[in-house]
Structures are given as structure tokens and as C-alpha cells.
Amino acid sequence: MDIFCIKHGDALHPASAYDKEELDKLPQDQAMRMTLRRVRNIKFHRKYMAMVHLAYDNWPYLGEFEGYKDFDSFRKELQILAGYRYPVVKLNGDVYYQSKSIAFGNMGEDEFAKLYEAVLEAVRRHVIHHMDDEDLQNFLNELEQFA
């Protein structure tokens, strides 16, 4: 069961009528084990996606390589470069990496904030390294509209 709660003082309260209905289904006076996750900020997620879109649009090799015809492949490669990956072993023993999921249910706010910083650094090192200081500042200023 997944429900959303809001903390008030020392208590958690259902965030909506639906959450209250689900909570009411639980037995009274019985210990329960809970795993809590902070809900990700949708505006921060949009800022992240805007950063990756800007990086994609400013990638100097855009269109020259088969592997990056689509944005999603580019985004996943940035995440791999940033260290948000897991190894996969092929049948022949070769190892390659896939990017971790950034789905809201798979990555909390704290980890997502670390991902954002790591991907921004990967963008600086691998994508916009050719930019002069003025272009870099313009790139970063475009991100501020999403803050």
C-alpha cells in the first residue's frame, strides 16, 4: 500500500481523502513496519529535464552519431557518465552499464538532488566543455527559469 502523508508535529496525517480511506483499512493497535520516502518536487524534476534538453541541444556532435538520435538515449548516457548506473553481464561475459531509473517511485528527492549535481558535472565535462564563459553562463541562466 502506498499512501501520502503530511507531517504535523510528531504525527503523520493522510494527505488526501483517498489516503485516509486506505489508512482506515489498517487494523488498530497493531505495530506496522513503514518505509518513508520524501515525495519528489515536480518543479525540480522539470529543471533536471530542462538541463538535459539544453545539453542535448548544445551537444556539438548532435546528429553525427547513430546512438544519439533520440533524447532518451542521450539522457541515459549522461546518467551513466554521472555514476547512476548498474552493471549488466551479457551471455558472453562482457559487461555494460544501464542507467538507473529516475521514476518517482524509484528515486527519492535526496538521491535525485545528488543525481542532478552529478549530471550537471557530466554535462560540464562532456557536453558543454567547448563553451566559452559567456555561453556557459547563458546555459546556466536558462536553467534558473525552472528553479
Side-chain angles (χ1 to χ4, degrees):
M1 165 188 310
D2 278 344
I3 63 169
F4 292 92
C5 292
I6 300 171
K7 182 179 177 191
H8 293 287
D10 290 339
L12 293 174
H13 299 278
S16 70
Y18 169 80
D19 297 319
K20 182 176 181 343
E21 287 176 18
E22 292 299 303
L23 194 59
D24 287 343
K25 293 177 184 176
L26 299 175
Q28 292 290 326
D29 303 319
Q30 184 177 351
M32 304 251 168
R33 180 177 155 197
M34 296 173 36
T35 302
L36 301 174
R37 291 186 312 266
R38 286 180 47 201
V39 177
R40 279 222 325 253
N41 180 335
I42 187 65
K43 289 181 182 179
F44 191 43
H45 181 83
R46 288 179 183 143
K47 181 178 179 179
Y48 172 77
M49 294 305 284
M51 172 187 57
V52 178
H53 273 286
L54 282 170
Y56 183 69
D57 292 343
N58 285 282
W59 190 45
Y61 307 109
L62 184 61
E64 292 183 28
F65 297 104
E66 282 294 311
Y68 294 119
K69 283 187 174 178
D70 68 285
F71 168 78
D72 203 47
S73 295
F74 181 83
R75 176 187 60 79
K76 288 177 180 178
E77 182 64 19
L78 277 177
Q79 290 171 200
I80 290 168
L81 287 170
Y84 284 80
R85 64 188 186 196
Y86 60 92
V88 176
V89 180
K90 295 171 75 171
L91 291 175
N92 66 3
D94 290 347
V95 177
Y96 69 99
Y97 292 96
Q98 289 190 341
S99 66
K100 288 183 178 179
S101 172
I102 63 169
F104 281 74
N106 294 335
M107 185 177 287
E109 183 74 21
D110 295 337
E111 186 179 2
F112 190 76
K114 291 174 186 172
L115 167 78
Y116 178 89
E117 291 301 323
V119 169
L120 180 57
E121 184 57 34
V123 167
R124 286 180 177 143
R125 282 189 316 233
H126 300 285
V127 179
I128 59 175
H129 56 84
H130 66 282
M131 289 184 172
D132 61 28
D133 287 344
E134 182 179 346
D135 288 340
L136 177 59
Q137 192 56 50
N138 290 337
F139 177 86
L140 295 174
N141 286 342
E142 284 189 57
L143 293 179
E144 287 307 310
Q145 69 180 328
F146 295 94

